[in-house]
Amino acid sequence: AKLQRTPFEDRAKLCKNAVGVALFSLMARKKTNLCVAADVVEAKALLDLADAVGPQICVLKTHCDIVRDWTDETGTQLRFLADKHDFLIFEDRKFADIGNTVVQQCSGGVHRIASWAHFTNAHALPGDGIVDGLRTAAGVENHGLLLLAQMSSAGNLLNKEYTSACVEMAKRHTDFVFGFISQERVIEGSEGDAFVYMTPGVKLSQEGDGLGQQYNTPTAVIADRNSDIIIVGRGIYKSDNPAATAAIYRKQAWDALA
Ligand code: S5P
């Protein structure tokens, strides 16, 4: 039997974090559940890619620390493109340190992540202090956080017990934590409708990369595993025409919701 899905506009009303509300609303308005992982290593290439795929996506995912010529202007320009095309910026920093350290890592350094990213993510490993630290760095008003509840890579150590502990941590911080990086929906029912599930390891051709990445199709991730958003990197940015390829992934992922 087909899953009965709560529409994204209704889930916006259940979510307690402003960025989560904005994300659900934008997905409903723009009709896209595609996130592009913009893993390119030069600022101009990053901005060009964001401009090209911008019309197709709900979220642009960045790894600012792989960009060799990152400046404050890169963050400013990304925000300009986010407004132009109506998408949110997700810095995939995967914080994993004690609260006091992540405050500095998120707000300071060369990248000043909190000044341009709408949301970021963290491993739950250090305990609740990491969430409290990132909340301090960002301010709850216009930032949000995802927890890594599951990973796509072969042999990862995030087992069922760990995933459950992540879920419990998220439930303790619904003002700030609005979802998960996971391979499937990790909270069922209406309680789970208040959170967003974003899934990486998505590609139309499914052979791995020789470094442990494991791929599923957009349809498998959305229709079978009941996730909300597909995260696609190399499948799009390494293709001959990223804008056209993004449109193909977008359609498959959105059609899989029906
Ligand atoms: O479990 C994970 C979590 C993340 S955020 N597995 C992942 O691959 N990612 C990220 O998703 C990874 O850092 C990369 O930016 C993207 C997948 O890229 P692709 O080229 O394999 O599609």
Side-chain angles (χ1 to χ4, degrees), residues 217-237:
T217 61
T219 310
V221 165
I222 302 300
D224 302 343
R225 291 160 174 236
N226 201 11
S227 186
D228 295 321
I229 296 176
I230 59 165
I231 300 175
V232 184
R234 284 164 286 185
I236 289 176
Y237 71 77

Side-chain angles (χ1 to χ4, degrees), residues 191-208:
E191 186 177 32
D193 279 344
F195 296 92
V196 72
Y197 310 91
M198 297 186 62
T199 300
V202 178
K203 212 166 190 255
L204 289 171
S205 69
Q206 282 170 79
E207 62 273 18

